[in-house]
Amino acid sequence: MKIDRPHPPGDDALSDEDFDRLSRARHRDAVASLSPRVQAQLQQRLRASRMPAAGMRRRHPAWGLAAACSLAVVFAFGLQHRLADRDTPVPASSVAASSNDNGELVATLDEAPDLYLWLASDDANRILSE
Amino acid sequence: MNRSRPVVFAFVLALAAGSALAAPPAPATLPAWDQLSPAQRDLVIAPLRDRWNADPQARTRLFQHAQRWQQLTPEQRARMRHGMGKWEHMDPQQREAMRALFHKMRDLTPEQRTALREQWRKMTPQQRREWVEANRSPAD
């Protein structure tokens, strides 16, 4: 990468001190021309690069949150398991919801039980398979 | 990207925890009939009560079927449920045919049943429809 030395008009030979002074002056001018937002971002990045451990410290709260959520999940499933296992009276709505045999209950009596028995016989099987 | 991983992880876990708590508890094992409350029993037999009240003409038939069911052995009741499973998968036309065949066959000897089965097997769909029409089962 080529670096252009600052050349003040009319002066071709600069000492190292002059070159350093002029470079710093140009740097100050360049920094001063940046918007406050960009300057803030640069300062933030500078601080981050100087403190490598800070990034690690910032991660700790997030991992702590993750661990807390893990515990919450374990607690939730455990609680749910205990509630399901507990021998509490079942609400009437649960009985209706779990009773998938409502239609079957009526169907049991709607047709002759012997018809259903016959349908399970070999006779019916042969007819149904044809 | 790496910094956001814990946050995403925590978010997914939080969602899982939320859904675990929000999900209804698994149905508990229901007790035997005698241990059900009157309200629970009412709920279970509600469909049958509706059926009973909706069709006064069917009450005698329903009652006779209940009496017959009472006479069945546990093994017969299990077979009956198996037959009910087949019944559920039949269309109305097929049900009508099976009902007619059942009523016809139960009065036949084993040899006559075999003959009827053979006759049924050789029938065309149209002939079967005509046979069912001619042998429509009477109301129980």
Side-chain angles (χ1 to χ4, degrees), chain A residues 23-36 38-40 42-43:
Chain A
S23 297
R24 287 178 186 277
R26 287 199 175 184
H27 177 258
R28 275 195 304 274
D29 293 343
V31 170
S33 68
L34 293 174
S35 68
V38 174
Q39 289 187 39
L42 287 173
Q43 285 175 2

Side-chain angles (χ1 to χ4, degrees), chain A residues 79-130:
Chain A
L79 182 67
Q80 191 181 23
H81 212 66
R82 283 195 63 179
L83 286 175
D85 288 347
R86 195 183 297 170
D87 192 17
T88 51
V90 183
S93 57
S94 296
V95 177
S98 63
S99 175
N100 193 26
D101 301 336
N102 283 349
E104 190 181 341
L105 180 67
V106 176
T108 301
L109 301 183
D110 239 353
E111 294 292 334
D114 289 305
L115 169 62
Y116 294 135
L117 267 174
W118 177 74
L119 286 173
S121 70
D122 289 341
D123 260 348
N125 282 337
R126 288 194 190 102
I127 290 172
L128 287 169
S129 62
E130 286 167 1

Side-chain angles (χ1 to χ4, degrees), chain A residues 32-92:
Chain A
S33 68
L34 293 174
S35 68
R37 183 173 170 227
V38 174
Q39 289 187 39
Q41 286 176 343
L42 287 173
Q43 285 175 2
Q44 195 176 5
R45 289 178 187 178
L46 183 64
R47 276 198 302 272
S49 67
R50 285 174 177 170
M51 293 186 294
M56 292 297 290
R57 277 200 296 276
R58 271 201 300 276
R59 291 182 189 181
H60 288 169
W63 281 112
L65 178 63
C69 288
S70 303
L71 286 174
V73 170
V74 171
F75 174 74
F77 281 111
L79 182 67
Q80 191 181 23
H81 212 66
R82 283 195 63 179
L83 286 175
D85 288 347
R86 195 183 297 170
D87 192 17
T88 51
V90 183

Side-chain angles (χ1 to χ4, degrees), chain B residues 35-50:
Chain B
Q35 276 81 53
L36 288 178
S37 69
Q40 289 172 331
R41 292 182 195 175
D42 276 354
L43 266 174
V44 173
I45 64 168
L48 186 56
R49 185 174 53 235
D50 284 354

Side-chain angles (χ1 to χ4, degrees), chain B:
Chain B
M1 186 67 183
N2 284 341
R3 284 180 190 172
S4 63
R5 274 187 194 163
V7 176
V8 173
F9 180 59
F11 180 68
V12 170
L13 282 173
L15 277 180
S19 62
L21 286 172
T29 304
L30 291 167
W33 182 264
D34 291 341
Q35 276 81 53
L36 288 178
S37 69
Q40 289 172 331
R41 292 182 195 175
D42 276 354
L43 266 174
V44 173
I45 64 168
L48 186 56
R49 185 174 53 235
D50 284 354
R51 178 79 178 88
W52 185 275
N53 289 334
D55 189 359
Q57 305 295 323
R59 289 175 193 170
T60 304
R61 181 165 54 91
L62 293 173
F63 193 76
Q64 288 172 345
H65 291 170
Q67 284 179 314
R68 175 65 182 131
W69 183 87
Q70 197 87 27
Q71 296 166 354
L72 299 179
T73 64
E75 188 271 333
Q76 285 175 314
R77 289 174 188 174
R79 277 173 42 213
M80 182 185 141
R81 278 193 290 275
H82 181 62
M84 281 180 69
K86 291 183 179 178
W87 182 259
E88 284 173 9
H89 292 96
M90 292 180 191
D91 58 48
Q93 194 177 358
Q94 202 173 10
R95 287 182 178 185
E96 193 59 40
M98 295 308 283
R99 205 186 272 122
L101 282 164
F102 161 69
H103 282 283
K104 186 76 176 175
M105 281 194 169
R106 68 176 174 179
D107 297 326
L108 301 180
T109 64
E111 292 76 20
Q112 289 171 322
R113 286 180 200 166
T114 304
L116 178 55
R117 260 202 336 262
E118 188 62 22
Q119 180 190 351
W120 181 262
R121 192 178 64 81
K122 291 176 181 171
M123 286 182 193
T124 64
Q126 178 59 30
Q127 286 172 328
R128 288 181 179 180
R129 279 194 290 274
E130 290 170 0
W131 186 92
V132 169
E133 192 61 35
N135 294 275
R136 190 172 289 278
S137 63
D140 286 338

